[in-house]
Amino acid sequence: MPRIIACPEDEAPISLGDLVASLNDSNFDPADEESFAAAGPLLRRLANNRDFLADIAVAELKDRCTSQSLENRYSSQVLMLHRASEKFYIRANFWPSERDSVFKTSGNSPFFYNVPHDHNFSFLTVGYLGSGYWSEYYEYERDKIAGLPGEKVDLKYIEKARLEQGKVMLYRAHRDVHNQLPADEMSVSINIMHATPCLPYLDQYRFDVRNCEIVSILNNSATEALLALAANQGGGNARDLVESVAAAHPSSRIRFSAVKELAAAEQQVDAGLERLERGMHAADSFVAAMSARELARMKAMRNWIER
Ligand SMILES: [Fe+2]
């Protein structure tokens, strides 16, 4: 489960600006687990500041949420607090209970409740308000799986716990899994998120924790849509771009997407099937297995495709 970071309880509060200044120090490296964990007590001291979040929320409302409109790509569950660094950003999250009207009207989905998942980024979190959302925590080892939907995973159940006010935890990318459950009362957490330009290409999984399987890859990127457009561009002038992505992109998911789009763009079904057969022999187990699945799918649909 996420690392619990022990922090002194009654250290002096700091402002959001103080925290940002400390994190902007070149010694802070969120890609390094120990460096990230060392920032835990600072986040706890921000949480000891009981005014700053309400002050920011009111200022945003007075400004018609201008900075949220510019910087917040999340739903209204999230208040973006700082997004000016390439290494990190800071956000507040609101976690309603089942009794809250926003939950009654919106249900589980907007809050990612009951969707067991890992994260493709590490983040430090502190309970800021309330008894905190619940989680059933699991761990797995990313380098022991290919990442295929339906693949069995050695998920180890750890415990059920909640993120109560003042508790600081470090969620580790590609390792900690949680099935998040509604808080018992409206709660707020504050996160320092590891920001990295390669995030769209790092896979995040949804798990079936009963059967210990990957259900699906949760994230996708604009690249997949662009590959489809490039593969089908009139005259075929962009196909070499798609070929280069299929051959050398660092993400297995993107490489397979390029193979799939090249296959789908072939005028003759047999040529598409040949591309997928070559994909089946890729050294990467994800590309090979997904190519095999796509090959089977295309063969099954051949009559419909050629109609
Ligand atoms: Fe999560």
Side-chain angles (χ1 to χ4, degrees):
M1 65 175 288
R3 276 178 63 176
I4 296 173
I5 311 296
C7 301
E9 286 189 9
D10 48 7
E11 282 207 305
I14 59 173
S15 69
L16 179 63
D18 293 333
L19 176 63
V20 169
S22 297
L23 299 181
N24 278 335
D25 186 290
S26 59
N27 288 324
F28 174 63
D29 178 8
D32 177 83
E33 184 176 325
E34 296 310 318
S35 177
F36 213 171
L42 279 171
L43 182 60
R44 171 61 200 258
R45 288 179 65 188
L46 178 68
N48 290 345
N49 182 336
R50 306 309 298 163
D51 300 321
F52 89 98
L53 189 58
D55 290 344
I56 289 174
V58 170
E60 286 282 356
L61 289 170
K62 286 187 177 183
D63 194 33
R64 299 283 190 264
C65 298
T66 302
S67 70
Q68 294 303 308
S69 300
L70 291 171
E71 295 170 4
N72 190 349
R73 296 167 202 162
Y74 296 96
S75 71
S76 53
Q77 184 206 6
V78 169
L79 187 62
M80 189 61 67
L81 301 176
H82 177 82
R83 188 163 205 153
S85 163
E86 291 185 353
K87 287 197 298 187
F88 68 91
Y89 58 94
I90 304 173
R91 68 181 192 181
N93 312 283
F94 297 81
W95 303 106
S97 75
E98 289 174 322
R99 297 193 310 275
D100 289 308
S101 60
V102 69
F103 181 90
K104 288 177 180 168
T105 53
S106 303
N108 277 308
S109 302
F111 311 105
F112 236 46
Y113 291 147
N114 289 295
V115 181
H117 61 277
D118 70 343
H119 307 88
N120 53 350
F121 49 84
S122 294
F123 66 100
L124 202 55
T125 188
V126 62
Y128 185 72
L129 185 75
S131 55
Y133 65 79
W134 287 96
S135 285
E136 294 163 346
Y137 288 108
Y138 302 79
E139 290 182 20
Y140 81 109
E141 294 181 51
R142 173 67 183 86
D143 58 5
K144 292 198 173 164
I145 60 166
L148 301 163
E151 183 178 357
K152 290 289 181 189
V153 183
D154 185 14
L155 276 176
K156 290 188 173 56
Y157 177 73
I158 308 296
E159 67 172 17
K160 181 178 178 180
R162 60 186 179 181
L163 182 64
E164 61 260 28
Q165 186 174 319
K167 185 176 182 180
V168 177
M169 294 200 294
L170 177 64
Y171 281 73
R172 299 160 299 177
H174 311 297
R175 183 161 178 185
D176 297 314
V177 172
H178 66 156
N179 182 28
Q180 210 162 356
L181 303 167
D184 295 331
E185 59 182 353
M186 175 62 84
S187 299
V188 179
S189 64
I190 299 171
N191 298 341
I192 303 171
M193 313 285 283
H194 178 200
T196 163
C198 59
L199 196 62
Y201 307 118
L202 302 174
D203 298 338
Q204 179 182 25
Y205 303 114
R206 176 175 182 169
F207 295 93
D208 175 341
V209 293
R210 281 220 178 107
N211 294 308
C212 291
E213 289 177 0
I214 294 174
V215 175
S216 60
I217 298 173
L218 282 169
N219 57 326
N220 55 28
S221 70
T223 304
E224 284 96 326
L226 287 170
L227 288 169
L229 289 170
N232 288 282
Q233 197 239 0
N237 189 32
R239 287 174 70 90
D240 57 337
L241 285 173
V242 187
E243 300 267 12
S244 67
V245 170
H249 196 281
S251 159
S252 304
R253 189 185 88 236
I254 299 298
R255 286 202 304 282
F256 166 66
S257 183
V259 169
K260 185 178 77 166
E261 297 304 341
L262 286 166
E266 293 285 2
Q267 294 295 311
Q268 302 298 319
V269 172
D270 282 332
L273 296 178
E274 280 171 27
R275 277 195 180 272
L276 291 168
E277 279 169 7
R278 287 200 294 277
M280 278 173 56
H281 295 104
D284 182 277
S285 55
F286 179 87
V287 175
M290 292 300 286
S291 294
R293 291 182 186 190
E294 184 65 8
L295 180 68
R297 194 183 72 87
M298 266 186 87
K299 283 181 175 175
M301 294 177 65
R302 177 172 195 145
N303 289 342
W304 182 84
I305 295 170
E306 289 180 323
R307 215 184 277 173

